[in-house]
Amino acid sequence: MSLVTRKFLVIITLCWSGIAAALPQIEHWQTGNGARVYFVAAHELPMVDVQVVFDAGSARDAVPGTASLTARLLPEGAGDLNANAIAERFDALGASSGSSAGRDNASVSLRSLTDPALLQPALETLALVLRAPTFPAAAFERERNRALVALRAQEQNPGALADRAFYQALYGQHPYAQATLGTAQSVTALKRADLLTHYRHYFTARNAIVVIVGDLQRDAAAAVAETVVGRLPGGSVPPPLPAVAPATGGKAHVAHPSSQTHILVGQPVLRRGDPDYFALYVGNHILGGSGLVSRISDEVREKRGLAYSAYSYFMPMRQAGPFQMGVQTKNESATEALQVLRATLERYRAEGPTTEELIAAKKNITGGFPLNIDSNSDIAGYLAMIAFYDLPLDYLDRFIDQVNAVSAEQIRDAFQRRVDPERLVTVTVGNGK
Amino acid sequence: MKSLAVILLAAGLTGCATAPGPSRVVHSEGPVHETTLANGLKVIVREDHRAPVVVSQVWYKVGGSYEYDGVTGISHVLEHMMFKGTPNHPPGQFSRIIAEHGGRENAFTAQDYTAYFQQLEKSRLPIAFELEADRMRHLTLDPQEAARELQVVMEERRLRTDDNPQALTWEAFSAAAWQVSPYRHPIIGWMNDIENLGVDDLRRWYQTWYAPNNATLVVVGDVEPQKVFELAERHYGPLKPSTITPAKPRIEPPQRGERRIVVKAPAELPYLIMGYKVPTLKTADEDWKPYALEVLGGVLDGGRSARLPRELVRGGQIAASISAGYTLTARLGDLFSFGGTPAQGHDVASLEAAIKAQIEKLKTEPVSSEELARIKAQVTASKVYELDSVFYQAMQIGVLETVGLDWRLLEQYPQRIAAVTPEQIMAVAREFFIADNLTVAVLDPQPLDGAAPRAPAGGAYRH
């Protein structure tokens, strides 16, 4: 609350770069009931991070808001334990646990010390929460009400409104169109039974990934995985999500009494594992992905003083995730900022990067690699991504080479083929009076 | 991670002083080593050999709480201008050079400090030192660059505060609670003050506060302390010190009665803030009191099993969200604050009553041994978890040094927390959580569509 930072809201795009020296060694196996386990031993600190990821994000919602509310309900009751007992168990062990849902997946996490007297009961509590959640009726009502309050909070937040309108405009009838939180209407209509159905369908071993990073030997990690998910039913892998239809351009405006207009421009582009990924990732680093030294920030902020934050990114997902450019500026400057944003993209798309820009971007990405894997939480995040999106286990090892192999022409070509100015959707929120 | 060297923290405190050079005295305790250059720059190095990375942070003893009427926000604007070049490095070059070396860099301004940092692969540390030392004394402060950057900061203020009804309420709350203390001003500054800042103001502020003898250099990572000290000597050593005139104390007089304000802004939800004035490590008359308040904060809001989530969110279902706490390390007296949104069917009045009932309980009933044990377990664990981030380790050292405390307090922290008794928690609750010492701010939501205010919906949604 008290800090004011100079640069941008950090956009986490789950991208990293690599050098060979200090790569985490990924070990991979399956539990008896078919959950996939990904483990990296990190013996420096006496702690362990466990993440269980299910293909059970809001893209799987029968009623919008189901996945999110399911995640909120997991720690509200399990086996014989109520919410207070579960919270007390974790807190008294010095462990921290959380659960959340995004569009593609839902995850439950635990951080604990490795002292067996602390770790074992923490793991058993986590296992109970995953295996035997009770979805108490009173807790369901309460958490549904809290979700409705959270939805109302979004109504007073122009950034949240822009985000919501952007996904609706890009994805139309596709499940990605819905906000993870759902809508006031859908959440009001949700029943406890909807959560149970969702849980029974998706929280199964064959639909689960277990990520473990910490001070354990491999056999101990195997025991951790069996403890946490070993008693989940086998279940099955759900069918693929539908493909995303191409965007058809257009504009959406939401009136809001804010002093700034929030502008988002984009279209669906990238699936995880797409062959154009590296060209677009490195290319976007130069366009709007590298903070103040990127072209968009230079044009919007450094040259014109139009905004505090101006950026672009690709967010690869299971199905085509968005390319997004964003800026917030005082209402009077909205037209100018939008023009600068579009002109910067179109020029970059036409010309591609300069040789100097490409060299600088590669140096930044590859030289910064050690920072991206310098903590257990970083490594756990990458492991979850590699595992969930079925990326090759040597993905990190090859990352540097893949980045270095990208040419300026490949970037120009990929932007021309994949980013279409005619199909870009523009969302504005603000200028309400 | 496998191939990396493993060095766990030495357990014992091995307080020792060595003099490796002709003039340098180094104080070491475990992995932390401290020296002071001849020009007054304090250099603190913490070894962490887990990964081949390093973070370098320069902390200046200046921030929002050093400012006065008319120039609020100037520390933060100057922080922006620190990226706008020196005679040796034109605007933007700092960021470009760091980026080319694979680095991440940024800066932050708070009430009690302004800090600049670079995170790099360890061999690139000299790059950070060269650039950071250069801008410590040689900033250009070009008028055109300043005019443009002021526009950026105004956009930042619109984004963070003006278009955020809860942030507006916090800002008005602080301004009401403090009449003398500089904490009454927002860090980002009042809009009219930002609009009227000039490059001359910025130059005066830079000359007043930016000098090696008003700064602390903190380096954490896979480094050898002696080499870092030598490198610091090479880059920062030649910089001239200034005469630093300490800020005036501006101590808040005792509050004589409850204060209440209402903030009207376009919003959907009401919001409640309550704050009691409390002492900090810097200002307490007895040094156990801040730790007792810290434990009290844990009893209320330390994890999902703490009293506020248990009693107000889950039990009584009066709050949709609620938080509480204070800044143990604030340079001046602080507020122990509660911020919350009423649950559906409740208003801010019932939320306030529920919070006050929890406060009364703290005054009259000793906290249970289970609750204290839980807080101790959380502190013990978090001392390990925080080692997962070199940045956070550096940040803790930087904050303590910059507010005039000692980084050695970090090592004492778990024992000090463990020593707090149920009686001490009752004592601080009784001493500080009293009506005459309270400020309350309420966000009164106005229609987002500019229409006339609606009648309260659902009985009690709006207060």
Side-chain angles (χ1 to χ4, degrees):
Chain A
M1 187 187 80
S2 65
L3 296 185
V4 176
T5 58
R6 166 178 173 260
K7 278 197 187 160
F8 303 102
L9 316 172
V10 177
I11 307 297
I12 297 164
T13 49
L14 290 178
C15 299
W16 69 94
S17 50
I19 53 170
L23 287 169
Q25 305 296 306
I26 302 172
E27 298 185 63
H28 172 49
W29 66 89
Q30 291 199 353
T31 60
N33 54 350
R36 289 168 290 151
V37 185
Y38 295 77
F39 167 60
V40 168
H43 297 297
E44 294 84 358
L45 299 173
M47 57 185 266
V48 64
D49 285 284
V50 180
Q51 255 187 58
V52 187
V53 183
F54 298 92
D55 183 339
S58 63
R60 301 289 181 188
D61 281 355
V63 180
T66 303
S68 172
L69 206 50
T70 301
R72 290 174 80 129
L73 261 294
L74 289 178
E76 290 293 334
D80 295 336
L81 305 179
N82 66 15
N84 289 343
I86 292 168
E88 275 162 23
R89 286 206 179 186
F90 285 130
D91 287 352
L93 298 165
S96 58
S97 176
S99 54
S100 65
R103 283 186 168 81
D104 270 349
N105 55 46
S107 74
V108 180
S109 65
L110 172 74
R111 171 170 275 196
S112 169
L113 298 177
T114 37
D115 175 350
L118 301 171
L119 177 58
Q120 197 54 34
L123 292 170
E124 282 163 14
T125 308
L126 178 70
L128 197 64
V129 163
L130 286 169
R131 184 181 77 239
T134 50
F135 297 94
F140 169 77
E141 291 299 331
R142 183 219 321 137
E143 290 306 309
R144 189 175 62 169
N145 283 337
R146 291 182 69 210
L148 289 168
V149 171
L151 282 162
R152 291 186 66 190
Q154 290 190 342
E155 295 295 320
Q156 65 192 39
N157 179 340
L161 290 175
D163 198 56
R164 181 176 280 271
F166 182 72
Y167 276 85
Q168 276 167 358
L170 256 64
Y171 290 102
Q173 297 305 309
H174 192 273
Y176 284 167
Q178 286 295 343
T180 303
L181 212 46
T183 64
Q185 199 181 6
S186 72
V187 171
T188 304
L190 265 175
K191 306 247 180 314
R192 178 176 172 273
D194 296 321
L195 272 53
L196 279 171
T197 304
H198 180 84
Y199 167 77
R200 288 188 186 126
H201 201 100
Y202 295 110
F203 281 63
T204 63
R206 275 192 278 279
N207 198 33
I209 285 153
V210 184
V211 165
I212 305 169
V213 177
D215 184 17
L216 297 173
Q217 304 298 335
R218 155 133 189 186
D219 55 348
V224 165
E226 290 296 339
T227 302
V228 171
V229 300
R231 290 168 64 190
L232 286 181
S236 59
V237 177
L241 294 171
V244 175
T248 52
K251 290 178 183 163
H253 177 73
V254 180
H256 191 80
S258 48
S259 60
Q260 285 186 321
T261 297
H262 288 237
I263 303 169
L264 295 177
V265 179
Q267 66 179 99
V269 176
L270 260 193
R271 295 175 52 158
R272 254 314 150 196
D274 188 295
D276 282 329
Y277 174 75
F278 286 96
L280 292 174
Y281 166 59
V282 177
N284 182 69
H285 195 79
I286 299 160
L287 174 65
S290 49
L292 292 185
V293 299
S294 73
R295 281 196 185 193
I296 286 177
S297 184
D298 192 53
E299 294 293 337
V300 173
R301 174 171 161 163
E302 302 300 295
K303 284 190 185 154
R304 295 177 179 83
L306 286 174
Y308 174 67
S309 156
Y311 62 85
S312 65
Y313 64 82
F314 290 92
M315 189 164 74
M317 296 168 67
R318 264 281 159 80
Q319 295 297 340
F323 166 67
Q324 179 176 310
M325 301 190 289
V327 63
Q328 315 88 34
T329 189
K330 58 184 178 296
N331 289 325
E332 308 88 89
S333 309
T335 307
E336 182 188 359
L338 179 57
Q339 277 166 358
V340 172
L341 211 54
R342 290 200 69 128
T344 305
L345 172 68
E346 278 166 33
R347 187 174 153 215
Y348 187 65
R349 197 173 160 272
E351 298 172 2
T354 66
T355 309
E356 294 72 31
E357 283 176 322
L358 184 57
I359 291 170
K362 288 179 178 176
K363 280 186 177 174
N364 181 238
I365 295 168
T366 59
F369 173 74
L371 298 171
N372 296 330
I373 53 163
D374 72 352
S375 69
N376 293 6
S377 42
D378 283 349
I379 292 169
Y382 296 144
L383 264 191
M385 187 196 70
I386 288 170
F388 185 76
Y389 292 107
D390 292 318
L391 302 175
L393 288 186
D394 66 351
Y395 195 70
L396 277 173
D397 311 62
R398 293 169 50 211
F399 189 86
I400 281 284
D401 289 343
Q402 306 251 41
V403 167
N404 281 331
V406 171
S407 71
E409 181 48 33
Q410 283 171 339
I411 291 172
R412 200 180 66 90
D413 173 59
F415 268 79
Q416 295 219 341
R417 282 186 292 105
R418 305 300 295 274
V419 179
D420 182 350
E422 300 298 312
R423 292 176 179 273
L424 287 175
V425 171
T426 302
V427 169
T428 49
V429 176
N431 209 16
K433 287 180 183 166
Chain B
M1 300 296 284
K2 262 192 162 172
S3 58
L4 305 180
V6 179
I7 297 192
L8 289 174
L9 301 181
L13 298 179
T14 56
C16 61
T18 51
S23 60
R24 190 181 308 134
V25 177
V26 176
H27 296 277
S28 299
E29 283 195 21
V32 187
H33 312 272
E34 175 193 303
T35 194
T36 303
L37 305 187
N39 60 12
L41 179 72
K42 190 179 268 194
V43 186
I44 303 172
V45 179
R46 182 178 176 119
E47 294 177 72
D48 181 334
H49 300 284
R50 213 156 62 101
V53 299
V54 65
V55 59
S56 169
Q57 300 176 343
V58 170
W59 294 73
Y60 292 96
K61 295 186 181 80
V62 67
S65 71
Y66 290 69
E67 298 166 358
Y68 35 81
D69 288 359
V71 297
T72 65
I74 193 171
S75 302
H76 171 246
V77 174
L78 182 57
E79 179 225 298
H80 277 238
M81 290 305 296
M82 283 284 278
F83 294 81
K84 294 297 179 181
T86 65
N88 284 328
H89 297 288
Q93 202 185 65
F94 190 112
S95 300
R96 264 192 288 280
I97 291 174
I98 294 295
E100 282 213 6
H101 285 87
R104 299 177 194 157
E105 45 119 30
N106 211 327
F108 44 90
T109 305
Q111 287 287 7
D112 297 331
Y113 45 80
T114 309
Y116 301 82
F117 68 85
Q118 297 82 36
Q119 295 167 278
L120 294 150
E121 187 275 323
K122 63 176 178 176
S123 72
R124 323 288 175 107
L125 186 60
I127 312 283
F129 276 20
E130 183 195 332
L131 291 167
E132 199 64 85
D134 180 43
R135 69 178 174 181
M136 183 178 280
R137 293 300 266 167
H138 305 116
L139 197 61
T140 299
L141 287 167
D142 173 73
Q144 284 186 330
E145 293 282 355
R148 206 159 38 226
E149 203 58 27
L150 283 166
Q151 297 297 318
V152 171
V153 173
M154 287 179 227
E155 294 292 357
E156 183 179 357
R157 189 189 148 88
R158 292 183 188 106
L159 180 69
R160 291 183 187 280
T161 307
D162 294 341
D163 290 345
N164 180 337
Q166 290 190 2
L168 279 176
T169 310
W170 278 102
E171 186 174 83
F173 165 76
S174 296
W178 303 112
Q179 296 183 330
V180 172
S181 167
Y183 288 168
R184 65 199 299 255
H185 296 303
I187 296 161
I188 199 160
W190 302 106
M191 188 61 110
N192 186 250
D193 285 354
I194 303 171
E195 285 165 353
N196 287 287
L197 277 179
V199 77
D200 293 338
D201 300 313
L202 292 163
R203 183 164 293 112
R204 213 159 29 241
W205 204 249
Y206 180 67
Q207 285 165 353
T208 304
W209 300 112
Y210 280 61
N213 51 323
N214 195 43
T216 305
L217 170 64
V218 182
V219 174
V220 179
D222 187 14
V223 292
E224 289 176 46
Q226 286 311 325
K227 292 203 170 147
V228 176
F229 292 145
E230 285 160 25
L231 197 63
E233 187 70 57
R234 190 174 325 138
H235 291 287
Y236 292 95
L239 301 176
K240 287 199 171 50
S242 285
T243 303
I244 302 291
T245 308
K248 304 283 188 193
R250 300 164 76 184
I251 293 171
E252 183 78 10
Q255 186 172 332
R256 297 181 186 279
E258 190 172 294
R259 292 177 195 154
R260 285 186 177 269
I261 61 158
V262 173
V263 175
K264 291 185 174 181
E268 268 292 302
L269 299 166
Y271 188 65
L272 170 73
I273 304 172
M274 296 170 54
Y276 296 94
K277 291 190 177 120
V278 293
T280 61
L281 285 175
K282 282 289 287 180
T283 65
D285 55 357
E286 292 182 68
D287 67 357
W288 57 267
K289 287 181 183 174
Y291 291 104
L293 285 162
E294 181 92 336
V295 174
L296 188 157
V299 170
L300 289 174
D301 194 24
R304 284 173 57 94
S305 72
R307 290 185 183 183
L308 293 179
R310 174 198 296 255
E311 303 297 336
L312 269 58
V313 177
R314 297 197 296 270
Q317 301 188 27
I318 291 163
S321 63
I322 177 100
S323 63
Y326 93 118
T327 308
L328 182 71
T329 54
R331 186 172 70 90
L332 308 170
D334 195 31
L335 290 157
F336 191 106
S337 301
F338 300 79
T341 303
Q344 305 230 50
H346 290 275
D347 59 12
V348 289
S350 58
L351 180 55
E352 180 179 337
I355 291 169
K356 283 182 169 167
Q358 289 300 320
I359 289 169
E360 278 315 301
K361 199 172 162 197
L362 286 166
K363 290 181 184 177
T364 51
E365 293 174 28
V367 169
S368 72
S369 56
E370 289 79 17
E371 286 172 294
L372 289 181
R374 161 175 65 76
I375 290 162
K376 234 189 286 185
Q378 288 174 318
V379 167
T380 305
S382 68
K383 289 304 278 184
V384 175
Y385 301 156
E386 69 198 27
L387 297 177
D388 199 35
S389 163
V390 291
F391 189 89
Y392 185 66
Q393 294 176 53
M395 177 114 193
Q396 287 182 310
I397 292 170
V399 169
L400 287 171
E401 276 301 314
T402 306
V403 302
L405 294 166
D406 190 326
W407 51 262
R408 290 164 189 85
L409 285 175
L410 289 171
E411 294 308 312
Q412 299 170 18
Y413 182 81
Q415 294 97 291
R416 296 304 302 258
I417 292 297
V420 171
T421 66
E423 292 71 29
Q424 287 176 329
I425 295 170
M426 270 199 286
V428 290
R430 286 173 181 162
E431 182 175 357
F432 302 111
F433 290 3
I434 53 175
D436 286 353
N437 196 26
L438 170 65
T439 303
V440 180
V442 168
L443 170 63
D444 180 6
Q446 302 300 300
L448 287 157
D449 58 6
R454 281 180 269 164
Y461 215 86
R462 293 157 202 272
H463 73 282

